[in-house]
C-alpha cells in the first residue's frame, strides 16, 4: 500500500478519535489511540510480510474508504427478508457497519443470553471493558489496529453459565455498495460462560453491487466446558473488499467449531486465531472458498496448542475458476507442554481453468514429543476417470463436470450444522459453480 493510502487511513482515524473523544471512557480512548499508533508503526502489509506473501492489499488504497455519516436503509428490507434465518432467535442487522434497530430482533431473549449493539454497550460500560481487546490486540496486524482505531459499532453477545441457547444468534452485516465507498469496521465480542452452548451466525452480504470495504474483528472467550458453533458467510459483491479476523480463547474442555464459507469479494481474507488456554479443548475448522473471474480469496488460520490433551481438526477446500486465486495458509503450533495433542489439517483445491491458481501452505510446528499430528494439501483438476464413468452412462460432459464440482464442495457445506444456513449457501453456490443448477436437476 502506498504512503498516501496509509496516510488516508491515519488521517481518518485521527479525525474519528477527535470527534468521539468527548464522553468516551478513558480505556476506550486509549484503545483507539493505540490502534492509530500501531497502524502508523506497522503500515499495511506487503508481499515481504511472510503472512501476506500471496495477497496484495494495495487495491484497498485505490479507494478513499470512509465510515458513512448517515445510514441509508432504503432497499435493504428485501435483503434482510431473504437472508434472515427463520425462527424467533435474536438478529442484529447492520447497514454499512451501523446497527439498525428497526430491522433487528432483540426482544424476548431467553434467560441468560444478552445480545446488543456494541455501541450501546460501550455507552453503558460494565463488562464490555474487560472483553474488548482481550484477544484481538492492535499489535496483531495493521487491519486489527485500524479496526481498533475506528472502534465504535458491532455486537456484544454474552451467554451466562449453564445457559443453552435453543436458537442461533444472527448478525447480518449488509453493505449497500453504492457510490459512497463505505468502510465498515464492526467489532463482535462474545463471552460464553462455563458449560454454556451457543450457535452464532455472522453473515456479510452485499445488498447491491458496488464497492465497499469491511474490516471486521470478532473476539470470543469460551469458559470451561462451553460450546460455540460459529458460522461465517462472506458473500459480498465481487467488487467489495473484506478483511476479517476471528480470535478465540478456549477454556478447559471447551468445544469450538468454525464454518467459513467465502464466496464474495474482489479481495477477501478470513483469519482464525484459536488458542487453547487449558486442557481438553477441541476445535474444528471447516472452510470453503469459491472464486471466479479475478477474485482473490485468502484463508489464514493459526491453532495454538498451548496445553495438553487438546485436539483440532481442520479442512479447507477451494474451487477456483477463470483467473481466480485462492490461498490457504494454516499453522498448527504445538508448544512444549502440550503433550498428547491430536491435530489434523487438510487443504484441497480444485482448479476449473488453466488460469486459476491456488496457494496451499499448511504448517506444523511441533515442540512436544508425545503428539499425533498430520497435515496435507492438494491442488488438482477434475478426475478424468470419474468424468469418463459419468459420461459412459449418458451424462453430458458439462453436467458431469458440474456434478463432480458440486460433490467436491458439498463435503464442507454438508458439515454446516444449521440446515437453514446450509440452504442459503447451497443457493449461493448454485450461482457460482459452473452449471450447478443443471447438474442437480
Amino acid at each position: 500500500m502506498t504512503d498516501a493510502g496509509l496516510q488516508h487511513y491515519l488521517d481518518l482515524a485521527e479525525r474519528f478519535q477527535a470527534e468521539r473523544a468527548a464522553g468516551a471512557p478513558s480505556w476506550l480512548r486509549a484503545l483507539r489511540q493505540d490502534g492509530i499508533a500501531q497502524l502508523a508503526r506497522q503500515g499495511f502489509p506487503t508481499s515481504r510480510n511472510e503472512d501476506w506473501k500471496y495477497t496484495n492489499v494495495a487495491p484497498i488504497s485505490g479507494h478513499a474508504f470512509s465510515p458513512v455519516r448517515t445510514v441509508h436503509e432504503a432497499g435493504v428490507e428485501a435483503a434482510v427478508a431473504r437472508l434472515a434465518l427463520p425462527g424467533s432467535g435474536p438478529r442484529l442487522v447492520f447497514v454499512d457497519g451501523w446497527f439498525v434497530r428497526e430491522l433487528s430482533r432483540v426482544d424476548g431473549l431467553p434467560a441468560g443470553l444478552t445480545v446488543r449493539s456494541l455501541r450501546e454497550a460501550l455507552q453503558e460500560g460494565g463488562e464490555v471493558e474487560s472483553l474488548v481487546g482481550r484477544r484481538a490486540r492492535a499489535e496483531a496486524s495493521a487491519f486489527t489496529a485500524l479496526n481498533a482505531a475506528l472502534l465504535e459499532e458491532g455486537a456484544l453477545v454474552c451467554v451466562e453459565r449453564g445457559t443453552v441457547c435453543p436458537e442461533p444468534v444472527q448478525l447480518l452485516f449488509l453493505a449497500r455498495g453504492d457510490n459512497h465507498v463505505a468502510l465498515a469496521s464492526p467489532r463482535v465480542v462474545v463471552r460464553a460462560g462455563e458449560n454454556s452452548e451457543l450457535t452464532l451466525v455472522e453473515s456479510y452480504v452485499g445488498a447491491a453491487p458496488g464497492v465497499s470495504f469491511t474490516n471486521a474483528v470478532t473476539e470470543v472467550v469460551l469458559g470451561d466446558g462451553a460450546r460455540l458453533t460459529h458460522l461465517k458467510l462472506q458473500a459480498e459483491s465481487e467488487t467489495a473488499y473484506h478483511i476479517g479476523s476471528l480470535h478465540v480463547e478456549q477454556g478447559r474442555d471447551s468445544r469450538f467449531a468454525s464454518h467459513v464459507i467465502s464466496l464474495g469479494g474482489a479481495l477477501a481474507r478470513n483469519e482464525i486465531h484459536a488458542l487453547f488456554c487449558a486442557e481438553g479443548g477441541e476445535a474444528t475448522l471447516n472452510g470453503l472458498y469459491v472464486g471466479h473471474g479475478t477474485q482473490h480469496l485468502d484463508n489464514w488460520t493459526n491453532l495454538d496448542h498451548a496445553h495438553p490433551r487438546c485436539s483440532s481438526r481442520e479442512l479447507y477446500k477451494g474451487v477456483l475458476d477463470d483467473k481466480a486465486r485462492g490461498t490457504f495458509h494454516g499453522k498448527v503450533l504445538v508448544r512444549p507442554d502440550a503433550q498428547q495433542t491430536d491435530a489434523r489439517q487438510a487443504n484441497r483445491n480444485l482448479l476449473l481453468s488453466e488460469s486459476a491458481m491456488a496457494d496451499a501452505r499448511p504448517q506444523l510446528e511441533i515442540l512436544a514429543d508425545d503428539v499425533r499430528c498430520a497435515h496435507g494439501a492438494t491442488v488438482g483438476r477434475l478426475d478424468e476417470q470419474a468424468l469418463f464413468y459419468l459420461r459412459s452412462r449418458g451424462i453430458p460432459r458439462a453436467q458431469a463436470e458440474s456434478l463432480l464440482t458440486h460433490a467436491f464442495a458439498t463435503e464442507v457445506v454438508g458439515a454446516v450444522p444449521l440446515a437453514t444456513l446450509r440452504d442459503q449457501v447451497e443457493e449461493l453456490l448454485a450461482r457460482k459453480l459452473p452449471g450447478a443448477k443443471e447438474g442437480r436437476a
Side-chain angles (χ1 to χ4, degrees):
M1 183 170 287
T2 64
D3 290 343
L6 176 62
Q7 194 59 50
H8 163 74
Y9 291 100
L10 289 171
D11 292 344
L12 182 68
E14 291 283 4
R15 289 197 301 274
F16 182 89
Q17 164 82 349
E19 292 170 0
R20 304 305 200 274
S26 58
W27 69 268
L28 181 55
R29 294 199 303 272
L31 190 148
R32 288 170 176 162
Q33 197 59 52
D34 183 50
I36 297 172
Q38 289 292 338
L39 179 60
R41 184 183 67 79
Q42 298 180 47
F44 286 103
T46 69
S47 59
R48 291 191 296 274
N49 184 317
E50 196 65 19
D51 291 341
W52 294 82
K53 183 176 180 179
Y54 303 112
T55 298
N56 178 11
V57 300
I60 293 175
S61 67
H63 301 276
F65 292 108
S66 298
V68 299
R69 296 281 182 172
T70 304
V71 178
H72 298 278
E73 303 169 26
V76 301
E77 292 86 353
V80 173
R82 176 168 50 86
L83 297 163
L85 298 176
S88 58
R91 179 181 68 240
L92 268 60
V93 177
F94 301 82
V95 177
D96 288 336
W98 295 104
F99 174 58
V100 181
R101 179 172 293 277
E102 293 73 19
L103 297 173
S104 303
R105 184 170 58 206
V106 292
D107 298 326
L109 301 181
L113 173 64
T114 301
V115 180
R116 61 193 313 191
S117 155
L118 183 65
R119 189 179 193 184
E120 295 175 356
L122 291 172
Q123 291 170 348
E124 296 182 14
E127 182 184 18
V128 67
E129 178 181 349
S130 65
L131 295 174
V132 175
R134 174 167 167 169
R135 293 306 318 159
R137 301 183 182 281
E139 61 264 32
S141 81
F143 290 102
T144 304
L146 177 61
N147 181 280
L150 301 175
L151 197 148
E152 186 169 35
E153 191 55 285
L156 175 67
V157 180
C158 294
V159 189
E160 301 308 319
R161 177 180 180 179
T163 299
V164 177
C165 299
E167 295 194 84
V169 174
Q170 185 181 23
L171 308 178
L172 180 52
F173 298 90
L174 295 170
R176 282 179 51 85
D178 47 22
N179 294 325
H180 53 240
V181 286
L183 165 61
S185 303
R187 175 75 63 111
V188 176
V189 180
V190 181
R191 176 183 59 76
E194 184 178 337
N195 295 318
S196 64
E197 186 170 343
L198 172 70
T199 296
L200 177 68
V201 180
E202 290 187 55
S203 301
Y204 295 85
V205 183
V211 180
S212 61
F213 175 29
T214 298
N215 182 36
V217 173
T218 298
E219 300 182 80
V220 174
V221 177
L222 298 183
D224 293 348
R227 294 170 179 264
L228 174 68
T229 299
H230 181 267
L231 311 170
K232 179 175 181 179
L233 172 61
Q234 187 271 313
E236 290 151 322
S237 85
E238 293 178 14
T239 52
Y241 299 90
H242 181 102
I243 305 289
S245 62
L246 169 64
H247 307 256
V248 185
E249 174 183 311
Q250 292 194 232
R252 183 183 300 273
D253 298 324
S254 62
R255 305 287 182 269
F256 171 66
S258 164
H259 303 265
V260 179
I261 308 296
S262 186
L263 306 175
L267 186 161
R269 174 171 166 121
N270 288 295
E271 298 182 7
I272 297 179
H273 307 257
L275 170 65
F276 292 106
C277 295
E279 297 184 23
E282 292 182 7
T284 301
L285 309 185
N286 289 324
L288 173 68
Y289 44 102
V290 180
H292 62 194
T294 57
Q295 285 186 273
H296 184 108
L297 305 176
D298 184 351
N299 300 273
W300 196 96
T301 65
N302 181 18
L303 283 160
D304 190 341
H305 285 261
H307 286 267
R309 290 178 285 284
C310 295
S311 65
S312 61
R313 295 290 183 270
E314 189 171 4
L315 172 62
Y316 269 71
K317 282 190 162 188
V319 179
L320 302 161
D321 201 356
D322 302 326
K323 296 181 179 180
R325 184 173 186 177
T327 293
F328 173 81
H329 185 171
K331 181 176 181 180
V332 175
L333 170 62
V334 182
R335 295 185 184 272
D337 293 335
Q339 301 295 348
Q340 298 181 34
T341 288
D342 184 356
R344 300 285 187 274
Q345 182 188 71
N347 174 229
R348 299 169 192 154
N349 294 278
L350 178 60
L351 303 183
L352 300 178
S353 80
E354 296 290 335
S355 302
M357 185 180 296
D359 304 296
R361 197 176 181 192
Q363 283 185 293
L364 288 175
E365 183 176 351
I366 301 173
L367 305 176
D369 52 17
D370 180 13
V371 301
R372 292 191 301 174
C373 297
H375 67 175
T378 61
V379 179
R381 304 190 184 280
L382 289 172
D383 187 330
E384 287 296 334
Q385 287 189 338
L387 278 173
F388 176 80
Y389 175 84
L390 293 174
R391 295 188 68 191
S392 69
R393 278 147 181 80
I395 299 175
R397 183 178 180 88
Q399 191 174 349
E401 291 176 346
S402 173
L403 284 169
L404 292 176
T405 304
H406 190 264
F408 178 84
T410 296
E411 184 180 358
V412 175
V413 177
V416 173
L418 199 59
T420 50
L421 186 67
R422 212 164 47 235
D423 291 343
Q424 283 186 8
V425 173
E426 289 279 3
E427 183 180 347
L428 291 168
L429 277 176
R431 303 173 193 166
K432 294 273 295 191
L433 296 179
K437 284 182 176 176
E438 293 78 5
R440 292 201 306 276

